[in-house]
Structures are given as C-alpha cells and as structure tokens.
Amino acid sequence: PPPPPPPSSQSQVQMPMSLDLPLFSPVMMQHSSLPPQLTLQLPTMESLSADLTQLCQQQLGLDPNFLRHHQFKRPRTRITDDQLKILRNYFDINNSPSEEQIQEMSEKSGLPQKVIKHWFR
C-alpha cells in the first residue's frame, strides 16, 4: 500500500457534526417566534431562594437563619487535666452545684461559668 500523503500546511480538521445545526433546541433558546405556551419559563433566583427557605422550614423544621448562625460557632473548649481535677472534686461532693460553687470553680480553674455549667449537665 502506498504511504499516506504528507500533511499539508493547510490541514483541515473533520468535525463529527455539521456546524450549521443549532446546539440548543428552539424551546431552550426562548425564541420570540414561538407561542407563549411553548416557551420555557425559568424561576427567578429570588423565588428559588424563598422556595428553599420554605422547604427547610417545612421539611426540616429549621430556622432560615440556622446555617448563617452556625458558621460562626466558637471553638470547642479544651479542659486541661488540672481544670478537670477541680471539676471532678466538686462533682464527687455534689453533681448539681450551686451558683456560688460554679463561681468558685470558675475562679479556681479559669474556665467560664457557661463551660462549667455545661460540663455538669
């Protein structure tokens, strides 16, 4: 068999399909020549957002601001061995400390009262 011809400097690439065909159907392009009942009606971003908010509230029982509030969660408190020893000493005496005892633990351990109350739950 004869060798293939050498590539010319003006080589043409064969396209697998004709370029004169539309890539999108007329319905997708929303041509004004189509009757109104055939044009594709896309929802606005505002209505989609409202729909998603309503869906979250109905299906999940979520407040629409839930995700916004939880993006700024404070970091988890790490309790050291010394702080844990203070909390356990009080816990051994009483697993439901008074406000005064919580204040004492807070002063001794350096932990916020909120963290101590949570630890005793």
Side-chain angles (χ1 to χ4, degrees):
S8 67
S9 61
Q10 294 179 351
S11 65
Q12 292 183 343
V13 175
Q14 289 285 5
M15 297 301 284
M17 60 182 222
S18 169
L19 292 178
D20 54 352
L21 292 175
L23 293 176
F24 299 101
S25 70
V27 172
M28 291 175 71
M29 297 299 288
Q30 297 185 8
H31 286 299
S32 58
S33 62
L34 291 174
Q37 61 269 30
L38 292 180
T39 59
L40 181 62
Q41 298 296 321
L42 295 175
T44 63
M45 287 303 290
E46 291 80 19
S47 68
L48 282 175
S49 178
D51 290 345
L52 288 173
T53 298
Q54 186 178 10
L55 180 67
C56 283
Q57 288 172 326
Q58 289 174 347
Q59 299 295 320
L60 305 174
L62 291 180
D63 174 14
N65 296 317
F66 174 79
L67 293 175
R68 234 176 282 141
H69 292 315
H70 283 78
Q71 289 174 348
F72 304 106
K73 247 170 101 168
R74 68 173 186 78
R76 194 176 172 106
T77 301
R78 301 226 12 139
I79 298 176
T80 66
D81 290 340
D82 291 337
Q83 292 168 330
L84 188 59
K85 186 184 259 186
I86 293 167
L87 296 175
R88 284 190 174 150
N89 285 339
Y90 275 86
F91 185 83
D92 289 341
I93 298 166
N94 180 8
N95 65 358
S96 183
S98 67
E99 287 293 323
E100 296 82 35
Q101 289 172 320
I102 291 172
Q103 176 67 35
E104 287 175 29
M105 286 184 274
S106 176
E107 290 168 3
K108 288 181 181 179
S109 66
L111 291 169
Q113 290 185 25
K114 181 178 177 180
V115 171
I116 293 172
K117 287 178 183 179
H118 185 77
W119 188 86
F120 274 89
R121 282 189 198 158

